Amino acid sequence: MLEISVRHNSPAAISAAFKKIREMVMTGAVSKTTTVHVTIEAGSYREQVKYNLSNPLIMETIPGTKAENCEILADNCEAYKSGLENRAIFIFGPNVTQVTLRNFSIRNTHNKSVTDKNTLADSAEAFAWNNEKGTLHAEGLRIYGRQNSLYVKGSTWFKNCYIEGDKDFIYGEPEVALFEDCQINLIEDNRGEYDAAAIKSGAVADKPGYVFLNSTFKCVKRRHNKVFVCRTEGKASAETKNNWDNIAFINCAFDDLYDKELIGSDDMDLEVFPRGNSQIGVREYNSKVFKDEKNMVPADTVRRNIKCYKLTDEDYFMSYASRFLILKGTAFEALFD
């Protein structure tokens, strides 16, 4: 294992460390399969970070460091640097194999400026997992942004993470994206009042998609506009391989400020696809609602979108009662052996 320590008082310290690793791999000093362990000290790292090596990566703070005391941050967006691979603050590319991240923060400080409902120019990811074949295990991360804070594809697992934004801030085309014991926080839009949703699903067909396990959804009240947990773009069909509205909520708690329909769209006329069942579509089990986290009650699901599905006890114990069941048959299964 290659051990590297990073201090915040050096310019572009993390990027410099990754550049050093790449040079060592390219010269043959380090094998392409050698695991790299990067330890980062507390502090602010004002830089954009990219990693696209096949070397397995473990990146974490020094034990005892609070995640909020170690932060990678910058102001970036589509209007500044075009393309997902250029505008995210921390991005992993297609060559990555296995990544573990622990206990630090990633923040895109960009404030939106365009007054249309949702614009590409203000897309501003904090974290982007642009990888289909590798695996990401993120534990104790705090991810901050506004529009499109977190992008995922392939296979990811977030444990005890905090993720915030003001619209569509969890999105992408995952085969599986498990959020276990996470807090999802929909904040105010810096431009004023707009309809909003935390998740914009584009999941791969016939895969688990987004699965939220024992997670909490908070939000800030809109006076005149609706707030949904998730929204559809109405692009999916039986013939498509992605853009499915494929999201499961297992033992989750929702702020009662979220619309009771759960899933909506920008114009409220777009079709949710597919209709939920025990394995695909928008589905939920044992949902709760709260005005404050000390007073949770069972959610009233009568007003859910007609395409949503309420999982039975049998469905739950067959497929969702543990992370092992949820990740069975995915790229993570081999890691549990």
Side-chain angles (χ1 to χ4, degrees):
M1 183 180 292
L2 175 63
E3 298 279 357
I4 294 181
S5 297
V6 178
R7 303 181 64 182
H8 75 278
N9 54 1
S10 299
I14 300 172
S15 297
F18 285 174
K19 181 180 179 182
K20 179 180 178 181
I21 296 165
R22 184 177 184 278
E23 290 172 349
M24 295 174 73
V25 171
M26 295 300 291
T27 60
V30 171
S31 167
K32 293 181 179 180
T33 60
T34 298
T35 298
V36 178
H37 182 208
V38 177
T39 304
I40 49 178
E41 294 186 355
S44 295
Y45 297 83
R46 297 184 178 275
E47 56 181 306
Q48 184 183 36
V49 180
K50 299 181 180 182
Y51 188 84
N52 193 28
L53 298 174
S54 61
N55 297 72
L57 174 69
I58 302 170
M59 182 171 167
E60 60 188 342
T61 52
I62 295 171
T65 304
K66 292 183 178 181
E68 54 266 37
N69 292 337
C70 182
E71 188 170 61
I72 303 167
L73 71 162
D75 180 351
N76 201 9
C77 68
E78 176 69 19
Y80 300 165
K81 294 182 181 179
S82 179
L84 174 71
E85 69 279 5
N86 298 313
R87 64 182 184 244
I89 305 307
F90 200 154
I91 183 167
F92 287 90
N95 296 325
V96 170
T97 56
Q98 187 176 328
V99 173
T100 300
L101 306 177
R102 298 191 187 102
N103 205 45
F104 59 90
S105 300
I106 308 163
R107 184 188 300 269
N108 193 328
T109 62
H110 180 71
N111 278 331
K112 295 190 286 188
S113 58
V114 183
T115 56
D116 290 341
K117 286 184 178 180
N118 198 32
T119 65
L120 176 62
D122 272 327
S123 292
E125 289 79 3
F127 184 87
W129 178 258
N130 191 24
N131 180 284
E132 292 182 345
K133 297 181 179 180
T135 58
L136 167 69
H137 175 208
E139 188 161 356
L141 288 194
R142 298 182 68 85
I143 299 170
Y144 303 88
R146 288 196 172 275
Q147 183 175 306
N148 306 136
S149 305
L150 172 63
Y151 172 82
V152 291
K153 65 193 304 186
S155 302
T156 59
W157 168 26
F158 296 85
K159 169 75 172 171
N160 290 323
C161 293
Y162 173 91
I163 305 153
E164 80 168 30
D166 64 18
K167 184 174 183 180
D168 299 346
F169 59 94
I170 298 174
Y171 85 110
E173 305 86 37
E175 292 189 6
V176 60
L178 173 59
F179 296 83
E180 182 180 358
D181 298 314
C182 291
Q183 181 173 316
I184 315 302
N185 191 25
L186 198 156
I187 61 174
E188 290 180 304
D189 193 310
N190 67 277
R191 303 166 303 170
E193 283 273 321
Y194 293 85
D195 289 344
I199 309 157
K200 182 178 72 173
S201 176
V204 176
D206 298 321
K207 299 293 183 178
Y210 297 86
V211 182
F212 294 85
L213 175 65
N214 304 327
S215 293
T216 302
F217 289 77
K218 294 185 175 181
C219 74
V220 174
K221 183 178 181 180
R222 263 63 166 176
R223 293 183 179 180
H224 308 292
N225 296 74
K226 291 185 176 182
V227 180
F228 294 93
V229 176
C230 47
R231 79 174 181 94
T232 183
E233 289 192 298
K235 293 181 177 179
S237 70
E239 290 73 37
T240 61
K241 296 296 184 182
N242 54 21
N243 289 316
W244 282 33
D245 301 307
N246 201 8
I247 313 171
F249 301 102
I250 312 299
N251 299 326
C252 289
F254 304 101
D255 193 311
D256 75 345
L257 296 174
Y258 283 103
D259 193 277
K260 302 303 182 290
E261 194 167 358
L262 197 67
I263 183 167
S265 65
D266 282 343
D267 59 17
M268 299 310 295
D269 291 322
L270 300 179
E271 280 291 317
V272 175
F273 185 88
R275 179 180 288 275
N277 60 43
S278 63
Q279 298 298 321
I280 58 175
V282 179
R283 53 220 189 269
E284 64 182 313
Y285 179 83
N286 191 34
S287 296
K288 292 182 172 60
V289 67
F290 62 90
K291 290 184 181 294
D292 62 78
E293 290 187 76
K294 294 181 180 179
N295 296 287
M296 295 190 182
V297 297
D300 180 0
T301 59
V302 173
R303 290 174 53 193
R304 296 297 196 232
N305 185 289
I306 194 172
K307 295 291 187 73
C308 294
Y309 175 78
K310 189 173 180 180
L311 293 162
T312 66
D313 289 344
E314 182 180 2
D315 295 331
Y316 172 73
F317 287 109
M318 284 288 291
S319 303
Y320 300 98
S322 71
R323 79 168 70 102
F324 304 100
L325 288 172
I326 293 167
L327 296 175
K328 184 178 180 180
T330 74
F332 282 104
E333 187 171 20
L335 303 183
F336 295 143
D337 292 339

